[in-house]
Amino acid sequence: MVSQYPPNLRIRLPAFILILEAALILIFGVFVSYDHSQNLTRDYPVFQHVNLMVILGFAFFLAFLKRYGFSGTGFSLLLAALGVQWAVVVEGFLFHFSAGKIKISLQSILTAIMSIITVLISAGAMLGKVNLMQLIWMALVEVTVFAVNRWVAVNILQIQSHVSVMHAHLFGAYFGLMVSWMLHHSSLSQKAEKERSRPVSNMFAVLGTLFLWIFWPSFNSVLIKEEEKKWTAIYNTYFVMATSVIAAFSFSAATNKNGKLSMAHIQNATLAGGVALSFSASIIQQPWIAMALGLAAGMISVLGMACLQKHLDPALKIHDTCGVHYTFGLPSLLGGIIHIIVILTNHSNNLSVFGYSALIEVGALSLSLVISLFSGFITGLILTCKLWKAPPVTKYFDDQAYWEFPHLAVGF
Amino acid sequence: MVSQYPPNLRIRLPAFILILEAALILIFGVFVSYDHSQNLTRDYPVFQHVNLMVILGFAFFLAFLKRYGFSGTGFSLLLAALGVQWAVVVEGFLFHFSAGKIKISLQSILTAIMSIITVLISAGAMLGKVNLMQLIWMALVEVTVFAVNRWVAVNILQIQSHVSVMHAHLFGAYFGLMVSWMLHHSSLSQKAEKERSRPVSNMFAVLGTLFLWIFWPSFNSVLIKEEEKKWTAIYNTYFVMATSVIAAFSFSAATNKNGKLSMAHIQNATLAGGVALSFSASIIQQPWIAMALGLAAGMISVLGMACLQKHLDPALKIHDTCGVHYTFGLPSLLGGIIHIIVILTNHSNNLSVFGYSALIEVGALSLSLVISLFSGFITGLILTCKLWKAPPVTKYFDDQAYWEFPHLAVGF
Amino acid sequence: MVSQYPPNLRIRLPAFILILEAALILIFGVFVSYDHSQNLTRDYPVFQHVNLMVILGFAFFLAFLKRYGFSGTGFSLLLAALGVQWAVVVEGFLFHFSAGKIKISLQSILTAIMSIITVLISAGAMLGKVNLMQLIWMALVEVTVFAVNRWVAVNILQIQSHVSVMHAHLFGAYFGLMVSWMLHHSSLSQKAEKERSRPVSNMFAVLGTLFLWIFWPSFNSVLIKEEEKKWTAIYNTYFVMATSVIAAFSFSAATNKNGKLSMAHIQNATLAGGVALSFSASIIQQPWIAMALGLAAGMISVLGMACLQKHLDPALKIHDTCGVHYTFGLPSLLGGIIHIIVILTNHSNNLSVFGYSALIEVGALSLSLVISLFSGFITGLILTCKLWKAPPVTKYFDDQAYWEFPHLAVGF
């Protein structure tokens, strides 16, 4: 099956990407240099944990569709590679710009990688329905808006920097849902054959999920500076991941009429705990609280997928291929609420001061929510433009629209 | 194919797991708190190596059956997630209980994760023949008994703590074999079609094997405190793994009548060296001894699979799906014998003192063997009870008994 | 399909490997002992990154052929396990021999693992066309010659030791191409059905590629001693990998007549930047230079695969299964040229001194090129000998020639 617009793709896509990259190299050449003032031996292995999560974990997490494995992994890699460079620049101008230079360090690259998960989460909501140019454009906008959002949260609302990065889950999910809503097509209300998974593509997705699951303690702790809080975040995240698994298996069996497990539930709900804990990983002092939170997050995730995704999403005309609303969106909202409760109870003797601090967190969370929805709306509006040559619905969820197959092998 | 007892599974399994988890959260709430007195920067990356081995390595190591990939990976994850929490509690009460509190640290979680491999090894022997409730029950019993076994070894026999954890291979293998013996069904004497692997499921198992292989030096060294011994353990384990590979390939070709290699041999025998070295990794001073041990362990593993598994196992009415006897059981016994010889030769000038020390190791090893066989026997007896609704033989080795498949896809 | 020479393989292969291993154990026993004088806490996690790349990354990188996944992963593991031991010995005699003993440390094992990629790269060029005995023989020769080559570069030409290890890409590629040229068979000019990939085997290759991609910063930096240069190498490599991805996607789409992407291009070209940067990772001071280099390397890699591999290779009677010339060969040559330019520009005020230093680098590079071509020629000559019982062309690219399949499953 030959693509309907070969000459365009052949010229437009490479030209678009290469001009972008040339611009990036120019900006790096003029503004960016290395900062050597740090001793980062402690952080490099953990940096690679986060790298493994974002590059390998997400790439395979998004490889669950039966005929979309190449795009799931390949497009993730491209978005991450391009997005990290762009994020280093945008965050550099906003956070590390002095004397006409951006000094970058392991910390800057790390924050850039972590910002990229907004893009990968949003890409999960749109998986299989947009082309590479649309994804790249979305990545550029989303990274920029998320960096501005972080700048407001850190510099105006005085949120801690490492907490502001954790808004990525919330931001990515609602941004992606909004874009997905704008791009909704009536035919998506019925699940297409190609929108399903296969056992083998699910196994690759399990691999991605396990990488995310295993290294989540690193993700939740890496930006925290104080040693003791770092370790608390690691321990809490370990236990929250463990109880998410428990919730995923229990509620997956409970919501199926035959008591059978759904691999989609397991893949998504096992991660919900890590998302929900992200804001408060370092300030929860008792393991049982983290464990209860993991159980609740896993439950919300499975129940969301089992009930809301089937009934609410079509009613709202939202099509969320990967279920990011239930892996990242709702658990993150739950985490925000818990974060505020934890702040209040940790300082129950001095409510006036910490009531204010809690209020600020509410503000930051609402800000991220509003900005993600609004910027997602605008981005979606732009992506509906004919200029992008979006794939026709018949080519949704199909690698053959973008990848050359020697022998037209059908699926795996 | 609809499960025969849907209402039961749908209610019983979630109820069972959730009540367990609620009990765990309650116990954690009352007894467990974090110990912040340590600087653990050095250990966290190695902690994650062990985590990768146990969670990802074992999950894919057990994914080799053609129609049992979801259960192989999924059930491993659930057993690990639940087992770690339980192990933290049980070991906490036995080893770290003071002033009514259990203080947990990275070290406690690490030991808990390492104890869990007993469960995953035993699950390998029973792979495909029991349901999730049976596995969970087995995990609870096995973790408890192994912790008690360790307590006796450390506090009464005065075995070093890190050596006692290494009994996990031996314990897990013989516990699992005993359970498997109790659950033996006559139809298992003929290899069922579904009990085979497929190239693609074998590739996933290779992935798991490589994770185990690569991080085994971390596993054998992480609990050792003295720097020099830690490095000795890392070097020795690296070389023992290398020569296990040599043995695996040589003897696999030599035992096949056409000189062809068997992927099952490679997967199992490449790990045998790491198991055999586990007791004496830090006290062997010469690389060549480790290398010779790796060669011997790999040889025993392949010869065991090629000869004993085909002839002895059916005669003894043992069905060992994953061949854990030949990957973990026999190599661990070999390792125990070598350990004693190494102790004796390292101190040949003072045999009276160290003969006693060697005797103690013999005692500890025998104790683990006896306790694992006995507790495995009792556990097996309990698991034969009708209450567990064990799967019928026709549903053995089949994901469809437990997992929902959108389109009844047959295998990979 | 039964192998045509069963009795030979069954006896010859195991005998060959076991005698080799016995010799190795003997040499280790007489000469090798551990050096405990180092504190290597900082380096162990990075050691494991390199281990993951070489063992897991390369094993799956070479698993892309539809019917050759077992051999791709299995043979890589065997070559690495055997090669590391041999490299420790050879390098030990050349670099660490004093008072009749070779003292080995983490650094020695690390250098040995990194030398092994020469063998794995060469094996990539010959993938599917030679048997295990030929590969092992090749590994022994190649490791030896590469170590001698390094010894000359370090001790006579006074090249930095960590730079000399980076010649591995160049050496492995041209050695492999030369062997492949000697073993060329006319029937290879037409692409056989079995020489293709399948989506699922490509997904495994993507996994290998991502491991290589993620840990390349560790590979390029681990041997560098000065902290600041180490971090420069890490940052530069991170950016060079990112822009290689950009180049891979752009030029892959641009070279296809329908604007479609080729997974083979992506797998190879995303790594080209890391290869090209390897010589100068620590001395490039500006990120934009690394980024531009990544773009150029990725471009060369894709254009090479799209044009030269189709037209030049058959004309030269070279058959390069994995395209190692375009992933490792040409990018490494580019990197060598850039290295010399960087040396010259970094010290443009003192051209006389550093012109000499640049000249030495040219000499070292030429030396590696000449030695790899010459020793590859000799090795190829030896491997054409009938004694090796090379597989007939009908058995090329087929696991069934070497592996036992229970039910003669055809491919994945």
Side-chain angles (χ1 to χ4, degrees):
Chain A
M1 210 187 297
V2 177
S3 173
Q4 290 170 340
Y5 25 85
N8 287 304
L9 261 183
R10 189 179 177 184
I11 299 166
R12 284 157 50 105
L13 180 71
F16 180 53
I17 304 181
L18 287 175
I19 290 170
L20 251 174
E21 185 58 46
L24 277 168
I25 292 179
L26 197 72
I27 298 173
F28 267 77
V30 177
F31 294 109
V32 179
S33 65
Y34 293 137
D35 177 2
H36 287 295
S37 62
Q38 300 160 310
N39 179 333
L40 296 160
T41 297
R42 185 191 69 181
D43 292 339
Y44 180 62
V46 190
F47 168 88
Q48 283 293 21
H49 296 170
V50 174
N51 214 3
L52 267 174
M53 282 179 74
V54 175
I55 304 294
L56 199 144
F58 266 101
F60 281 91
F61 184 67
L62 297 180
F64 67 97
L65 291 173
K66 66 196 309 185
R67 291 203 192 175
Y68 210 64
F70 283 16
S71 305
T73 53
F75 292 1
S76 302
L77 178 63
L78 180 67
L79 290 178
L82 194 63
V84 163
Q85 299 175 59
W86 182 242
V88 165
V89 166
V90 174
E91 302 213 325
F93 279 119
L94 288 172
F95 291 94
H96 311 290
F97 193 68
S98 72
K101 278 283 174 194
I102 300 168
K103 289 263 182 195
I104 57 171
S105 62
L106 198 72
Q107 212 70 11
S108 336
I109 304 177
L110 194 52
T111 315
I113 299 173
M114 292 170 83
S115 301
I116 286 309
I117 70 158
T118 56
V119 175
L120 297 174
I121 292 171
S122 300
M126 282 178 285
L127 194 71
K129 297 174 291 182
V130 286
N131 66 27
L132 202 40
M133 284 184 67
Q134 290 174 298
L135 283 174
I136 292 170
W137 172 254
M138 184 198 77
L140 297 178
V141 174
E142 190 166 5
V143 164
T144 313
V145 178
F146 183 64
V148 172
N149 184 20
R150 280 219 313 122
W151 186 87
V152 173
V154 171
N155 288 294
I156 301 191
L157 297 179
Q158 306 280 326
I159 296 292
Q160 280 174 293
S161 176
H162 72 86
V163 174
S164 77
V165 175
M166 295 300 161
H167 285 222
H169 308 298
L170 186 84
F171 194 97
Y174 287 102
F175 185 99
L177 288 172
M178 210 61 190
V179 177
S180 201
W181 183 63
M182 292 303 294
L183 296 176
H184 192 266
H185 190 284
S186 58
S187 73
L188 285 168
S189 54
Q190 288 213 317
K191 197 157 190 171
E193 175 53 29
K194 287 189 281 190
E195 202 186 332
R196 301 189 186 278
S197 61
R198 272 196 165 197
V200 73
S201 60
N202 262 328
M203 287 297 284
F204 283 113
V206 168
L207 182 70
T209 305
L210 288 185
F211 271 100
L212 292 169
W213 192 89
I214 287 169
F215 291 117
W216 216 290
S218 302
F219 192 88
N220 276 359
S221 69
V222 67
L223 294 178
I224 297 169
K225 293 219 168 57
E226 300 141 79
E227 281 288 313
E228 193 178 312
K229 289 198 167 180
K230 201 187 255 295
W231 292 110
T232 307
I234 287 173
Y235 299 156
N236 278 329
T237 310
Y238 197 86
F239 286 114
V240 91
M241 300 316 286
T243 54
S244 290
V245 171
I246 309 297
F249 277 83
S250 320
F251 290 101
S252 184
T255 53
N256 180 278
K257 66 181 192 305
N258 296 321
K260 290 194 178 182
L261 300 162
S262 152
M263 196 39 113
H265 292 168
I266 306 301
Q267 279 158 15
N268 286 275
T270 48
L271 305 177
V275 173
L277 188 75
S278 56
F279 299 117
S280 37
S282 65
I283 59 170
I284 287 178
Q285 300 299 333
Q286 303 291 333
W288 75 268
I289 303 175
M291 291 162 74
L293 179 57
L295 209 57
M299 183 185 75
I300 284 180
S301 181
V302 174
L303 296 183
M305 291 192 81
C307 309
L308 298 183
Q309 198 171 17
K310 267 190 200 146
H311 305 300
L312 187 68
D313 284 13
L316 293 177
K317 299 199 174 183
I318 291 174
H319 183 273
D320 176 5
T321 317
C322 183
V324 299
H325 192 207
Y326 309 106
T327 311
F328 300 99
L330 288 183
S332 193
L333 280 182
L334 171 71
I337 296 166
I338 298 296
H339 186 212
I340 290 152
I341 296 175
V342 170
I343 290 180
L344 290 176
T345 52
N346 274 4
H347 304 282
S348 49
N349 50 349
N350 194 348
L351 267 183
S352 64
V353 175
F354 291 95
Y356 174 76
S357 155
L359 215 70
I360 288 293
E361 299 288 340
V362 175
L365 212 67
S366 314
L367 185 78
S368 291
L369 192 61
V370 170
I371 292 185
S372 66
L373 287 170
F374 181 73
S375 57
F377 177 82
I378 302 288
T379 309
L381 206 64
I382 295 168
L383 293 187
T384 53
C385 173
K386 291 229 166 195
L387 191 85
W388 299 102
K389 308 256 179 204
V393 176
T394 53
K395 301 232 178 181
Y396 277 12
F397 315 115
D398 198 339
D399 273 342
Q400 293 195 9
Y402 309 107
W403 298 85
E404 189 192 24
F405 286 93
H407 264 205
L408 230 81
V410 278
F412 280 84
Chain B
M1 209 188 298
V2 178
S3 173
Q4 290 171 339
Y5 24 85
N8 288 306
L9 262 183
R10 189 178 178 183
I11 299 166
R12 285 157 49 106
L13 180 71
F16 180 52
I17 304 180
L18 287 175
I19 289 170
L20 252 173
E21 184 58 46
L24 277 167
I25 292 179
L26 197 72
I27 298 172
F28 268 77
V30 177
F31 294 108
V32 180
S33 65
Y34 293 137
D35 178 0
H36 287 295
S37 63
Q38 300 160 308
N39 180 335
L40 297 161
T41 297
R42 185 192 69 180
D43 292 338
Y44 180 62
V46 189
F47 168 88
Q48 283 292 21
H49 296 170
V50 175
N51 213 3
L52 267 174
M53 281 178 76
V54 176
I55 304 293
L56 199 144
F58 266 101
F60 280 92
F61 184 68
L62 298 180
F64 67 97
L65 290 174
K66 67 196 309 186
R67 292 202 191 175
Y68 210 63
F70 283 16
S71 305
T73 54
F75 293 179
S76 302
L77 179 62
L78 180 67
L79 290 179
L82 194 62
V84 163
Q85 300 174 59
W86 183 243
V88 165
V89 166
V90 175
E91 303 213 324
F93 279 118
L94 288 172
F95 290 94
H96 311 290
F97 193 68
S98 72
K101 280 282 173 193
I102 300 167
K103 289 264 183 194
I104 58 172
S105 62
L106 198 71
Q107 213 70 9
S108 336
I109 305 178
L110 194 52
T111 315
I113 298 173
M114 292 169 83
S115 301
I116 285 311
I117 70 159
T118 55
V119 175
L120 297 174
I121 292 170
S122 301
M126 283 177 284
L127 194 70
K129 298 175 289 182
V130 287
N131 65 27
L132 203 39
M133 283 183 68
Q134 289 174 299
L135 284 173
I136 292 170
W137 172 254
M138 184 198 77
L140 297 178
V141 174
E142 190 167 5
V143 164
T144 312
V145 178
F146 183 64
V148 172
N149 184 20
R150 281 221 310 124
W151 187 87
V152 173
V154 171
N155 288 294
I156 300 190
L157 297 178
Q158 306 280 328
I159 297 293
Q160 280 175 293
S161 176
H162 72 85
V163 174
S164 76
V165 175
M166 295 301 162
H167 286 222
H169 308 299
L170 186 84
F171 194 97
Y174 287 101
F175 184 100
L177 288 171
M178 211 59 190
V179 176
S180 201
W181 184 62
M182 292 302 294
L183 296 175
H184 192 266
H185 189 284
S186 58
S187 73
L188 286 168
S189 54
Q190 288 214 315
K191 198 160 191 171
E193 175 54 30
K194 286 188 283 191
E195 203 188 330
R196 300 188 185 278
S197 61
R198 273 195 164 198
V200 72
S201 60
N202 262 328
M203 287 296 285
F204 283 112
V206 168
L207 182 70
T209 305
L210 288 185
F211 271 100
L212 292 170
W213 192 89
I214 288 169
F215 291 117
W216 215 289
S218 302
F219 192 88
N220 276 359
S221 70
V222 65
L223 293 178
I224 297 168
K225 292 219 168 57
E226 299 141 80
E227 281 289 312
E228 195 178 310
K229 290 198 166 180
K230 201 190 255 293
W231 293 109
T232 306
I234 287 174
Y235 300 155
N236 277 330
T237 311
Y238 197 86
F239 286 113
V240 91
M241 299 316 287
T243 54
S244 291
V245 171
I246 308 298
F249 277 83
S250 322
F251 291 99
S252 183
T255 53
N256 180 278
K257 66 181 192 303
N258 295 321
K260 291 194 178 185
L261 300 161
S262 150
M263 195 40 113
H265 292 168
I266 306 300
Q267 279 157 17
N268 286 276
T270 49
L271 304 178
V275 173
L277 187 75
S278 56
F279 300 118
S280 39
S282 63
I283 59 171
I284 287 177
Q285 301 299 332
Q286 303 292 333
W288 75 268
I289 302 175
M291 290 162 75
L293 179 58
L295 209 57
M299 184 186 74
I300 284 180
S301 181
V302 174
L303 296 182
M305 291 191 82
C307 309
L308 299 183
Q309 199 171 18
K310 268 189 199 145
H311 306 298
L312 187 68
D313 284 13
L316 293 177
K317 300 202 174 183
I318 290 175
H319 183 274
D320 175 5
T321 317
C322 184
V324 299
H325 191 207
Y326 310 105
T327 312
F328 301 98
L330 288 184
S332 193
L333 279 183
L334 171 71
I337 295 165
I338 298 298
H339 186 210
I340 290 153
I341 296 174
V342 171
I343 290 179
L344 289 177
T345 52
N346 274 4
H347 305 281
S348 49
N349 50 349
N350 194 348
L351 267 184
S352 64
V353 174
F354 290 95
Y356 175 75
S357 156
L359 216 70
I360 289 292
E361 299 288 340
V362 174
L365 213 66
S366 314
L367 184 79
S368 291
L369 192 61
V370 170
I371 292 187
S372 66
L373 287 171
F374 181 72
S375 57
F377 177 81
I378 302 289
T379 309
L381 207 64
I382 295 169
L383 293 187
T384 52
C385 172
K386 291 227 165 196
L387 191 85
W388 300 102
K389 308 256 178 205
V393 176
T394 53
K395 301 232 176 183
Y396 277 14
F397 314 115
D398 198 339
D399 273 342
Q400 291 194 13
Y402 310 107
W403 297 85
E404 188 191 26
F405 287 93
H407 265 205
L408 230 80
V410 279
F412 280 83
Chain C
M1 211 186 297
V2 178
S3 174
Q4 291 169 341
Y5 25 85
N8 288 305
L9 261 181
R10 192 181 174 180
I11 297 165
R12 285 156 50 105
L13 180 70
F16 181 51
I17 304 181
L18 286 175
I19 290 169
L20 252 173
E21 185 57 47
L24 277 167
I25 291 179
L26 197 71
I27 299 173
F28 267 76
V30 177
F31 294 110
V32 180
S33 66
Y34 293 137
D35 177 0
H36 287 295
S37 63
Q38 300 161 310
N39 179 334
L40 297 161
T41 297
R42 185 191 69 179
D43 291 338
Y44 180 61
V46 189
F47 168 88
Q48 283 292 22
H49 295 170
V50 175
N51 214 1
L52 266 174
M53 281 179 76
V54 175
I55 304 294
L56 199 144
F58 266 101
F60 281 92
F61 184 67
L62 298 180
F64 67 96
L65 291 172
K66 64 195 313 185
R67 292 203 191 174
Y68 210 63
F70 283 16
S71 305
T73 53
F75 291 1
S76 303
L77 179 63
L78 179 68
L79 290 178
L82 193 62
V84 163
Q85 299 174 59
W86 182 243
V88 165
V89 166
V90 175
E91 303 214 324
F93 279 118
L94 288 173
F95 291 94
H96 311 290
F97 193 68
S98 71
K101 278 284 172 192
I102 300 167
K103 289 263 182 195
I104 57 171
S105 61
L106 198 70
Q107 213 70 10
S108 338
I109 305 177
L110 194 52
T111 315
I113 298 173
M114 292 170 85
S115 302
I116 286 309
I117 71 160
T118 54
V119 176
L120 297 175
I121 292 170
S122 301
M126 283 177 283
L127 194 70
K129 297 173 290 181
V130 286
N131 66 26
L132 203 40
M133 283 184 68
Q134 290 174 298
L135 284 173
I136 291 170
W137 171 255
M138 183 197 78
L140 297 178
V141 174
E142 190 166 4
V143 163
T144 312
V145 178
F146 183 64
V148 172
N149 184 19
R150 281 219 312 121
W151 186 87
V152 173
V154 171
N155 288 295
I156 300 189
L157 298 178
Q158 306 280 325
I159 296 293
Q160 281 175 292
S161 175
H162 71 86
V163 174
S164 76
V165 176
M166 295 300 161
H167 285 222
H169 308 299
L170 186 83
F171 194 96
Y174 288 102
F175 185 99
L177 289 171
M178 211 60 190
V179 177
S180 202
W181 183 64
M182 292 302 293
L183 297 175
H184 192 267
H185 190 282
S186 58
S187 73
L188 285 169
S189 54
Q190 286 213 319
K191 197 158 190 169
E193 174 55 28
K194 287 188 282 190
E195 203 188 332
R196 300 187 186 278
S197 61
R198 272 196 165 198
V200 72
S201 60
N202 262 326
M203 287 295 286
F204 283 113
V206 168
L207 183 70
T209 306
L210 288 185
F211 270 99
L212 292 169
W213 192 89
I214 288 169
F215 291 117
W216 216 288
S218 302
F219 191 88
N220 276 359
S221 69
V222 67
L223 293 178
I224 297 168
K225 292 220 167 57
E226 299 141 81
E227 281 288 312
E228 194 178 311
K229 290 199 165 177
K230 200 188 254 294
W231 293 110
T232 307
I234 287 174
Y235 300 156
N236 277 331
T237 310
Y238 197 85
F239 286 113
V240 92
M241 300 315 286
T243 55
S244 290
V245 172
I246 308 297
F249 276 84
S250 319
F251 291 99
S252 183
T255 52
N256 179 278
K257 66 181 192 304
N258 296 320
K260 291 193 178 183
L261 301 161
S262 151
M263 195 41 111
H265 292 168
I266 306 301
Q267 278 158 15
N268 286 276
T270 49
L271 304 178
V275 173
L277 188 74
S278 57
F279 300 117
S280 38
S282 65
I283 58 170
I284 287 178
Q285 300 298 331
Q286 304 292 333
W288 75 268
I289 302 174
M291 290 162 76
L293 179 58
L295 209 58
M299 185 185 74
I300 284 179
S301 180
V302 174
L303 297 182
M305 291 192 82
C307 309
L308 299 184
Q309 199 171 16
K310 268 188 199 146
H311 306 300
L312 187 68
D313 284 13
L316 293 176
K317 298 201 174 183
I318 291 175
H319 182 274
D320 175 5
T321 317
C322 184
V324 299
H325 191 208
Y326 310 105
T327 311
F328 300 100
L330 289 184
S332 193
L333 280 182
L334 171 72
I337 296 165
I338 298 296
H339 185 212
I340 290 151
I341 296 174
V342 170
I343 290 179
L344 290 177
T345 53
N346 273 4
H347 305 281
S348 49
N349 50 349
N350 194 348
L351 268 184
S352 64
V353 175
F354 290 95
Y356 174 76
S357 155
L359 215 69
I360 289 291
E361 299 289 339
V362 175
L365 213 66
S366 314
L367 183 79
S368 292
L369 192 61
V370 170
I371 292 187
S372 65
L373 287 171
F374 181 74
S375 56
F377 177 82
I378 301 290
T379 309
L381 206 64
I382 294 169
L383 293 187
T384 52
C385 172
K386 290 227 167 195
L387 190 86
W388 299 102
K389 309 257 179 203
V393 177
T394 53
K395 301 231 178 184
Y396 277 13
F397 314 115
D398 199 339
D399 274 341
Q400 292 193 12
Y402 310 106
W403 297 85
E404 188 193 25
F405 288 93
H407 265 203
L408 232 79
V410 278
F412 281 84

